[in-house]
Every structure is written in C-alpha cells, then in structure tokens.
Amino acid sequence: MAFEQKFKQQQSQIQKLAMTPELQQSIKMLQYNIEDLQQFINDKVMENPLIETVDDNQIIQAGESQYKVSLTTDGDNDYMNSVSSDEAQSLLDYLLDQIYLTMRQTPLRKVVLYLVDYVEQTGYFSANLDDLAEESGIPPIMLLDALTLIQRLDPPGVGARNLQENIMLQIDLDSSAPELAYVVIKDNFDDFVDRKWQHIAREYGVNISDIQEISDFVRTLSPNPGAGFGTPRIGKIYPDLVLKNINDELTLFKVRGAQPEIVFQQKYFDDMSKGNDPEVTKYLADKKREYEWLVNGLRQRGDTILKVGQYILKYQAAFFSDKTKPIKPLLLREVAAALDVHESTISRTVNDKYIETESGVYELKSFFGQVANKNKKNAEALSSKAIMLTMQELIDAEDKMKPLSDQKIVLQLMKQNIDISRRTVAKYRENMNVPSSSARKRYKD
C-alpha cells in the first residue's frame, strides 16, 4: 500500500515523465533481489557520508521478536545455493548493453530503461502500456516509442506482446523472408494459423505452395526470442522470508539480512553543521533527506514482501503443511486486490524473491499460476503450468503423421487423473503456441 501511495503522490507532482529519481529508485528497490539491493545501498553509502551500514545478517525478525539462526544448513535446505559463475549472459544484461551502447542519453532512453524491466526471460513484453501510463504518468505515445526501440534490439522478436507480433518482428528483420510473409502474418494471422491457405492464396493471387513456403519459413523462427540466454541471477540465492513451524503453527519471518540496515552519522552531521556555511548546510540537508528516504524505502520494501508472503502462506497453507499437497493456482491480480496495490507492484515483489521452508527454497512467483478449470474437481488443485507441461510431453511424443486432436489429448490427460475440457485443452495449446492437429500434420514427400 505504501508503494502504491508513493506512486500516486509522485504522479500529481510531476509532468511528462513523472519519474523523479526517488520514484525510480522506489520501483527499483522493490524489484531488486538481495544482492542487487545490497549493492545499491553500498553505492549510496559511498555517495553519502552521513550513511553507514550495519552488518548483521544472522537475525530473523517477526513483529517485535527476534530469533537467532544459523546460516549453515545442509542438503536441499541450503539457501545459499551456488549458481555457476560461467552461466550464459542474461537477456536483460544483453539488452542493457545494447541500450547503453546505441542510444543517446535522452528522456526517451530513460523510458526505454524503465520498460526493459518488463521484458520477460522468454523475450516477451509482459506489461500493459495503458496500465504503465496510469501508474507512472508517462505519456502513452512515449511508452509506445520506447517499446518500439526495444523491439529493434537483438534478438529479433524481443519486446513482442504476443506471438503474432513476435513473428512480424522477426520477419521484418530477416531479408530472406518470403515476400508476402509480413503482410500475411499481419493481416491474415488467424486464417494462416487455421491453415485456410487457399483463401489466403486467392486473396493475394498466389499459389498455395507460396503460402506453404511462408509456413515453412515461420517454423524456423523462435516462438521465444529469449531462448538461449541465461537466467539473470549469478552468484548465490538468499531467502527474503523464512517459514518456520513453531509449536505446530506456521510462522513467517523477515530475514534481516535480506533488508540492509543503515544508520545516520549524527556526530559527523553535527560537526559539519558548526561552520554555518550555507553551501555545506544545504549539502547536509540534502544528504539527510536522502537517508530518511532510504530508510522509508527499505521499510516499505520489507513490509510489502512480508505482506505478500503472508497472503501466499494463507492461500497455500495446505501445501506448506503437507508437501504432498499441490500448489493451488493463484493470480497476481487476486493478491493485488487483497492488498489494494497495483498488479505490477505484486509482480515486482514476487520476482527474484525467495522463501525458505523446511523442504527447500522457493521463488515467490512459483506460487502463482492460472486455474485450470474451477468446475473440475481434479483440476482445481493443479496449476496451468503443470498441465501444459504434461500436454507438451504428449504432443512431443505423438505420431506427426497422425497428431493428437484436442479431444484425444483430453482422453490422454484423463489417464493421468487430469480432468479438463476440450475447450480448456485448446486454450492451453494456444497459450503454448502449439498449432492444431491439422496444422501439425506432416505429409510424406
């Protein structure tokens, strides 16, 4: 709630970009993981002589209580899990390198840097521009211009908002694409996907073999532009929250080490204030305000993560009590509505934040998914991601000469105690960017 209020307050004070340094840093602080946040605070300490950090990451806090814990664990519970240092460069880092190297330092570049955080690891742009315009106060046309610049970056297709736009971007950047490929995908995408090729061929006065050529070319394109890039994290994973069973009651704690603690150098401030130099006085006042803002920002960040964690704990109580129970589907907007914040605030909160439990460490966003079919008893407790994974396995193993229809997929899923409708299978298949059985069918040469 505090972050949401801060966004709204800033919007009323700023025109055009509506992005003061404080607002930008508030957004970044919430989406930073522990290591990034610590580096951010260290940088502030270097810039501000009135700030000093406190190094004590062995205390866990819950309300007014504090519990000493050991950072040494074993087996799957080791929450300082090492990640290979030679891991491939992340897509975000790759995009940032291009932005800094190819774009001049202009207000539009600031918006590009703001939007690039919404490019998922798959390469798709995950946010709604209208929602971002409302949240940030940035004019919609400027947001669209910034997204267009992102879409011109490498890899081709990055920044696309859906599969159709992804394919169009890749075609536009590939000189070897068939002549009609772009316009067919742009104006006849549904017919193309449904293999109504004779209709398309008649519309453009070409042979059906020309449409087949476009199809063969499209199959060479990547449905996920970000594929091949490493994950953003390099180093170790530290939990932001710890879940403990105390007297048969699950209790959630904030990890103090996940929230850097800073203190004000009052003696230095008093000594420097004695000179009555106006410039020094102004400098000290600015640095003191920065300290106060940082303290407030850190508190808001920690409170937001804890509140989201508490909601997840309540909603997923069955899973946390018995790990044989499945994770219940949960939507970002449900949590946003319950906590009275914007959905993007929840998205930033759960991304790259972790909770340590007795059975292992989980990223908060792993508890989110979509309900498969609320009218089906078995599907209620399954996440859409798990069902789509099973569907993908079935499709990968199918006979390409006789691919599985949606109804046959329904029957195969029922054998695995997954009871969903044919319409739901079709919806998931579309979300997976998998064509229909007729479109997947291959003929002998």
Side-chain angles (χ1 to χ4, degrees):
M1 183 67 182
F3 271 95
E4 202 70 17
Q5 291 174 339
K6 186 172 181 63
F7 293 158
K8 293 176 181 177
Q9 291 169 359
Q10 293 288 355
Q11 288 174 14
S12 65
Q13 297 173 6
I14 309 166
Q15 297 179 349
K16 292 187 177 181
L17 287 184
M19 292 278 284
T20 64
E22 289 80 6
L23 176 56
Q24 290 176 332
Q25 294 302 340
S26 290
I27 294 172
K28 288 183 178 180
M29 285 176 71
L30 184 57
Q31 65 194 26
Y32 281 152
N33 60 39
I34 294 176
E35 291 173 296
D36 291 339
L37 180 64
Q38 186 65 61
Q39 183 59 53
F40 167 74
I41 294 299
N42 289 342
D43 291 342
K44 290 298 181 183
V45 170
M46 294 294 292
E47 299 169 3
N48 191 332
L50 300 182
I51 301 175
E52 185 178 34
T53 57
V54 176
D55 184 17
D56 182 2
N57 65 352
Q58 294 187 341
I59 299 178
I60 289 182
Q61 300 184 100
E64 298 300 321
S65 302
Q66 295 184 341
Y67 298 85
K68 290 285 183 179
V69 298
S70 170
L71 295 183
T72 302
T73 57
D74 52 25
D76 293 335
N77 290 336
D78 183 0
Y79 55 74
M80 294 192 292
N81 296 292
S82 295
V83 179
S84 175
S85 60
D86 59 355
E87 189 174 0
Q89 182 183 33
S90 73
L91 176 62
L92 178 59
D93 288 341
Y94 184 58
L95 295 176
L96 288 174
D97 286 345
Q98 295 176 72
I99 293 169
Y100 285 117
L101 288 173
T102 62
M103 299 182 190
R104 292 182 294 108
Q105 191 170 348
T106 63
L108 185 57
R109 190 180 80 163
K110 293 181 180 179
V111 183
V112 170
L113 292 170
Y114 170 60
L115 289 187
V116 78
D117 280 330
Y118 292 94
V119 175
E120 300 291 339
Q121 192 64 22
T122 58
Y124 282 92
F125 183 74
S126 61
N128 181 287
L129 291 182
D130 292 335
D131 289 344
L132 292 184
E134 180 182 350
E135 173 188 326
S136 67
I138 301 174
I141 187 64
M142 180 171 276
L143 287 170
L144 184 60
D145 288 344
L147 180 59
T148 301
L149 289 178
I150 291 176
Q151 292 176 342
R152 306 309 294 179
L153 299 175
D154 190 64
V158 72
R161 287 163 286 186
N162 51 53
L163 178 62
Q164 180 183 12
E165 188 172 40
N166 171 37
I167 294 173
M168 290 168 57
L169 290 171
Q170 293 185 66
I171 291 174
D172 190 41
L173 295 171
D174 193 330
S175 60
S176 67
E179 183 177 355
L180 288 175
Y182 186 89
V183 68
V184 167
I185 298 300
K186 178 177 181 292
D187 298 331
N188 306 84
F189 183 68
D190 291 338
D191 285 347
F192 180 81
V193 171
D194 292 339
R195 294 178 74 88
K196 297 178 181 179
W197 293 355
Q198 289 185 338
H199 169 74
I200 298 175
R202 285 196 299 270
E203 180 176 340
Y204 293 98
V206 297
N207 297 324
I208 195 169
S209 59
D210 295 319
I211 308 302
Q212 175 73 65
E213 181 186 0
I214 294 175
S215 176
D216 290 340
F217 174 78
V218 168
R219 287 176 180 275
T220 68
L221 304 179
S222 173
N224 296 312
F229 287 86
T231 58
R233 174 175 292 281
I234 296 177
K236 296 180 180 296
I237 294 176
Y238 300 91
D240 301 82
L241 302 170
V242 172
L243 182 63
K244 300 180 76 69
N245 189 327
I246 301 177
N247 297 325
D248 293 327
E249 182 177 351
L250 294 175
T251 307
L252 194 64
F253 303 96
K254 287 192 296 184
V255 178
R256 185 171 174 179
Q259 195 72 25
E261 183 177 347
I262 59 176
V263 294
F264 186 68
Q265 298 283 66
Q266 186 65 49
K267 185 176 185 305
Y268 184 85
F269 177 84
D270 293 340
D271 291 342
M272 291 290 292
S273 301
K274 293 178 180 178
N276 294 323
D277 185 321
E279 292 187 6
V280 173
T281 300
K282 181 180 182 304
Y283 172 81
L284 293 175
D286 290 342
K287 293 303 180 182
K288 184 175 183 179
R289 277 194 299 270
E290 182 180 48
Y291 163 78
E292 292 169 347
W293 170 80
L294 284 173
V295 169
N296 187 51
L298 287 170
R299 179 185 55 78
Q300 291 175 351
R301 176 186 183 275
D303 290 347
T304 302
I305 293 174
L306 182 60
K307 288 177 182 178
V308 172
Q310 289 170 336
Y311 189 95
I312 293 173
L313 172 59
K314 181 179 178 180
Y315 192 86
Q316 305 289 0
F319 169 80
F320 288 119
S321 299
D322 182 356
K323 296 305 183 291
T324 64
K325 302 290 185 181
I327 294 174
K328 293 170 58 179
L330 177 63
L331 299 178
L332 292 174
R333 63 171 174 264
E334 295 177 19
V335 184
L339 301 184
D340 193 22
V341 297
H342 197 278
E343 188 173 331
S344 62
T345 300
I346 303 301
S347 178
R348 294 189 185 100
T349 303
V350 302
N351 188 48
D352 222 6
K353 312 301 188 304
Y354 295 84
I355 177 173
E356 183 207 359
T357 72
E358 293 179 355
S359 65
V361 178
Y362 301 87
E363 188 172 10
L364 292 184
K365 72 177 181 181
S366 67
F367 297 102
F368 291 81
Q370 294 180 339
V371 177
N373 185 336
K374 288 186 178 179
N375 296 323
K376 298 295 184 177
K377 183 177 180 181
N378 292 334
E380 253 184 29
L382 291 173
S383 71
S384 60
K385 183 182 294 185
I387 296 176
M388 287 191 282
L389 180 61
T390 303
M391 286 177 56
Q392 187 65 60
E393 292 173 350
L394 293 172
I395 292 170
D396 289 343
E398 71 184 359
D399 181 353
K400 301 307 177 186
M401 305 293 289
K402 298 178 181 180
L404 297 171
S405 66
D406 290 344
Q407 184 57 40
K408 287 183 178 179
I409 292 177
V410 168
L411 297 176
Q412 292 292 327
L413 291 174
M414 287 179 66
K415 294 178 180 179
Q416 301 187 39
N417 295 320
I418 300 175
D419 187 8
I420 60 176
S421 68
R422 186 198 60 78
R423 181 176 296 180
T424 302
V425 166
K427 175 185 174 183
Y428 285 176
R429 178 174 51 73
E430 292 170 1
N431 290 342
M432 295 159 59
N433 301 324
V434 173
S436 64
S437 58
S438 61
R440 300 199 306 275
K441 184 173 182 179
R442 302 302 295 177
Y443 300 89
K444 291 183 177 180
D445 296 333

